[in-house]
Amino acid sequence: MAQLAKRTAIPVRLQIVGTMSALIIMYAWGRSLIGQPLQLGNQQFTWLGLVYLTGAFLFLLVAPWLTNRLALTPFDFIAMTDHLTMGWLGYLILILVVPIWFQPANSGLTLGVLSSVVGGICMDVPQNVTWGIRVPWTYNSPVIWKKVNWLTGLLLLIASYGMVGIGWVWPTLFPIYQVSAIVGIIVIALGYAHHLAHLT
């Protein structure tokens, strides 16, 4: 029983991040309820946008647990939830600080958000045949798999913020940034995997 409790305990950081995210979402709802919705540049945060925002947050909280229940190989779904909510909090803060980036016209918005989700999953995904950096060096060692995919996920999350920003500020440079970021992350991940595999 003690072991089960330890495995399912919610880390303090996840509690704090989840609470901060919920408070920001509640703030956005409150602004709309009093007739002063958040401004996204020359547009307003619509009710449908608030539903999407809230639904996405709830999905990030539930999806890792559900995936772990269905997965053939159990994994640390609490850690995955932690990383996904950390990335989501970053986007919520950006919505408050630079809301103009989140207009539908932003060419980097969709890819940026998707990259952050992929990154959050990569950081904790167990060895499998469909997800993550799947090369002989990572397949041959669970430790190398964990380290390489954690780094890949972190870099994807960081790059995703840049996708959103550059997609709005310099849309003509976005395709170059997108390709450079993805290729660069893959090269770094493969180089790191090779390095770890050949350590003496």
Side-chain angles (χ1 to χ4, degrees), residues 10-172:
I10 300 177
V12 174
R13 186 175 72 176
L14 177 54
Q15 295 180 41
I16 294 173
V17 170
T19 301
M20 291 176 62
S21 299
L23 289 174
I24 293 174
I25 293 173
M26 290 169 62
Y27 169 73
W29 276 100
R31 287 284 301 266
S32 291
L33 288 172
I34 63 174
Q36 297 178 351
L38 291 175
Q39 293 291 129
L40 302 179
N42 58 2
Q43 301 181 27
Q44 293 182 337
F45 215 121
T46 64
W47 291 105
L48 185 59
L50 287 172
V51 171
Y52 285 150
L53 189 70
T54 307
F57 175 60
L58 295 175
F59 176 77
L60 291 181
L61 292 177
V62 174
W65 171 82
L66 181 59
T67 303
N68 184 58
R69 298 272 297 185
L70 300 175
L72 297 177
T73 304
F75 61 93
D76 189 351
F77 70 93
I78 293 291
M80 183 178 289
T81 305
D82 183 30
H83 292 131
L84 287 171
T85 52
M86 281 289 292
W88 190 244
L89 177 61
Y91 276 95
L92 291 175
I93 292 173
L94 286 177
I95 287 175
L96 297 179
V97 177
V98 281
I100 195 172
W101 288 5
F102 292 85
Q103 294 191 60
N106 185 348
S107 59
L109 183 58
T110 299
L111 186 60
V113 172
L114 287 176
S115 296
S116 71
V117 173
V118 171
I121 294 173
C122 276
M123 294 176 78
D124 302 288
V125 71
Q127 286 180 316
N128 64 91
V129 296
T130 58
W131 199 283
I133 302 298
R134 305 181 312 278
V135 294
W137 301 314
T138 56
Y139 269 138
N140 291 337
S141 169
V143 174
I144 294 177
W145 173 277
K146 173 66 177 175
K147 289 183 177 181
V148 171
N149 281 282
W150 187 91
L151 176 63
T152 302
L154 179 63
L155 293 176
L156 273 172
L157 177 59
I158 294 171
S160 75
Y161 298 133
M163 291 178 187
V164 176
I166 292 175
W168 180 258
V169 180
W170 296 292
T172 57

Side-chain angles (χ1 to χ4, degrees), residues 158-188:
I158 294 171
S160 75
Y161 298 133
M163 291 178 187
V164 176
I166 292 175
W168 180 258
V169 180
W170 296 292
T172 57
L173 295 180
F174 174 71
I176 298 174
Y177 174 83
Q178 171 189 346
V179 173
S180 300
I182 293 175
V183 171
I185 290 171
I186 292 174
V187 169
I188 291 172

